[in-house]
Amino acid sequence: MVSMANQRSPGDKLTELSASLSLVANNRDKEAFARLFDHYAPLIRAYSLAREPGADLVADELVQEVMTRVWLKADKYNDRLANLNTWIFTLARNCRIDYLRRNSRYLTEIDPTDIFNEIEDDGPGPFQQVQQSRAEESIRAGLKQLPREQAEILTKVYLEGKSHQQASNELKLPLGTVKSRVRLALKKLEVLVVR
Amino acid sequence: MNNANKHPEDELLAAYSAASLPLSQALCISIHLERCPDCGRKLQRLNRVGSELMQQLKPAPAADELKNRLLDRLDSLSEENSEQAHPLPDSTVPRCLQQFVHGNYDDLPWRRVSADIRSVELCRDSNGARVELLKIKPGGSAITHTHLGDEYTVILEGSFSDEAGLYGEGDFLLRGKHDKHTPVASLHRECLCLAVTEGPIQFTGFFSRLMNPFIRRSYA
């Protein structure tokens, strides 16, 4: 763990939450689970509402799904593969896709379950951890400095769940512009440099 | 280790990380990811972008009732919930394809497309894209074609080359609307790939052009 000099940095909060998750995994500690709920449920609801504004019941259902998985899969979580925020994000993402499909928002027979994998500890896999904390800091700082139109496109893609084509229709921009804005944003965030 | 050397573009990988792309495209990328550690590492970082964006959302508080209801249920949860299908242990079929290919590729209802090509349609996506497996005979060639939409291909077994280069197992290709290409399988073995086609393809040879009206009709 990288030590953070500042008091109450996002890193401290994350360390606390990770400790709660260990308690859930090892001791089936419900109070620790409640602390995780208090922190993540509002974010999961916000994530759901970003895609379907006003759909409070859907948002509640997503919270239930995701937090249920947190309870059941806490022992599969490995902090060397992803930090807790990222693990929760992938759970929320997968549950949201699953929910949309079950409620036939997609008219397709393709089951997303095995397509969007969960970050689980299956022993030493091919995707080993990279220097995490540094990369997180730089992503966090980078997001704040993105030009508005690039931040907007990332929000559409990641939070509202819009495909490039949908984003292009909504923003009345050519598809190529949408793609290049995503690419520029990622470049600024330095996510693509393989270290 | 055979690492793929043709990769999806970064913005496509980001759309995968966000789960905001058509599932048929996600399927191709998922297959590529099973065989490409480099893209796997990129994906980890892209997931972090999603995670940071989520942290920056304005929290939408949950009702206490929701928490209490869930806390009450925790003890009864433990067993019931193991819905994720277990991958077939010895299968060479990528995990995400096992929903369509239950045993062996050979057991699928292959259909003859030309002297060199067999195909089997696995499903359609909600955007109308056709998801199919293609098998090209050793040294066999696909008819030169262009596309009315994008075509995503990922190679499962064997290799092929086209005007732009040579592709091997796990490689990912995206051919756009106006790209014209003639894939040719390598001589020593047949080539098996998954292809997602977002609109009818157009054959460009003189005789094969005559086929276009029929092909297009089958897309209705």
Side-chain angles (χ1 to χ4, degrees), chain B residues 90-187:
Chain B
D90 293 323
S91 182
T92 55
V93 180
R95 197 163 91 143
C96 58
L97 263 191
Q98 290 178 11
Q99 57 179 300
F100 302 109
V101 184
H102 303 297
N104 202 301
Y105 291 119
D106 291 336
D107 303 335
L108 296 166
W110 292 95
R111 198 174 52 85
R112 182 180 186 278
V113 178
S114 72
D116 290 343
I117 303 177
R118 301 284 180 279
S119 80
V120 52
E121 181 173 319
L122 301 180
C123 64
R124 295 289 179 110
D125 197 355
S126 49
N127 63 357
R130 184 214 297 264
V131 180
E132 61 190 344
L133 288 170
L134 295 175
K135 203 152 71 168
I136 314 176
K137 276 200 343 207
S141 158
I143 307 168
T144 303
H145 60 277
T146 57
H147 311 277
L148 291 182
D150 290 340
E151 181 187 66
Y152 300 77
T153 309
V154 58
I155 300 187
L156 298 165
E157 288 173 10
S159 59
F160 77 69
S161 52
D162 70 3
E163 291 82 345
L166 174 71
Y167 306 88
E169 282 173 25
D171 280 353
F172 174 93
L173 295 78
L174 169 56
R175 288 284 172 268
K177 252 178 216 151
H178 306 293
D179 299 328
K180 183 161 118 179
H181 77 143
T182 316
V184 179
S186 303
L187 284 174

Side-chain angles (χ1 to χ4, degrees), chain B residues 36-127:
Chain B
C36 182
D38 281 346
C39 286
R41 277 187 288 272
K42 274 189 184 179
L43 182 69
Q44 285 187 327
R45 286 192 294 271
L46 289 166
N47 287 342
R48 252 176 255 145
V49 173
S51 146
E52 285 300 328
L53 284 164
M54 186 177 169
Q55 302 310 308
Q56 290 178 11
L57 282 167
K58 187 167 171 285
D64 281 343
E65 196 214 329
L66 187 63
K67 177 164 75 175
N68 296 334
R69 216 177 335 136
L70 186 57
L71 283 170
D72 287 343
R73 277 182 51 215
L74 288 183
D75 288 323
S76 63
L77 282 176
S78 304
E79 297 304 313
E80 69 195 54
N81 229 306
S82 54
E83 81 296 332
Q84 205 146 8
H86 291 287
L88 304 169
D90 293 323
S91 182
T92 55
V93 180
R95 197 163 91 143
C96 58
L97 263 191
Q98 290 178 11
Q99 57 179 300
F100 302 109
V101 184
H102 303 297
N104 202 301
Y105 291 119
D106 291 336
D107 303 335
L108 296 166
W110 292 95
R111 198 174 52 85
R112 182 180 186 278
V113 178
S114 72
D116 290 343
I117 303 177
R118 301 284 180 279
S119 80
V120 52
E121 181 173 319
L122 301 180
C123 64
R124 295 289 179 110
D125 197 355
S126 49
N127 63 357

Side-chain angles (χ1 to χ4, degrees), chain A residues 59-172:
Chain A
D60 285 349
E61 211 162 314
L62 190 69
V63 168
Q64 268 195 57
E65 281 287 322
V66 175
M67 293 311 295
T68 298
R69 290 204 199 182
V70 168
W71 177 256
L72 294 174
K73 290 170 179 261
D75 60 328
K76 303 264 191 205
Y77 169 72
N78 177 343
D79 65 357
R80 286 180 297 108
L81 297 179
N83 80 18
L84 183 54
N85 287 340
T86 305
W87 187 58
I88 300 281
F89 165 73
T90 56
L91 289 180
R93 174 197 72 187
N94 295 358
C95 290
R96 188 167 82 173
I97 282 291
D98 221 39
Y99 180 88
L100 290 167
R101 176 176 174 271
R102 269 183 300 145
N103 292 278
S104 45
R105 232 55 76 78
Y106 294 120
L107 296 167
T108 174
E109 313 129 72
I110 305 175
D111 182 349
T113 312
D114 286 322
I115 297 182
F116 298 101
N117 294 329
E118 292 180 0
I119 303 169
E120 285 188 2
D121 193 3
D122 313 313
F127 308 152
Q128 275 316 322
Q129 152 250 14
V130 279
Q131 307 130 338
Q132 275 195 43
S133 2
R134 226 185 85 204
E136 262 139 37
E137 286 297 301
S138 79
I139 289 172
R140 195 174 304 139
L143 280 172
K144 293 199 183 103
Q145 287 161 20
L146 279 186
R148 198 190 49 81
E149 76 269 12
Q150 288 171 21
E152 178 183 43
I153 212 88
L154 286 187
T155 300
K156 287 230 174 285
V157 170
Y158 273 98
L159 301 177
E160 298 175 24
K162 299 279 160 48
S163 68
H164 292 152
Q165 187 60 58
Q166 287 167 325
S168 131
N169 297 344
E170 280 186 20
L171 299 169
K172 303 199 170 43

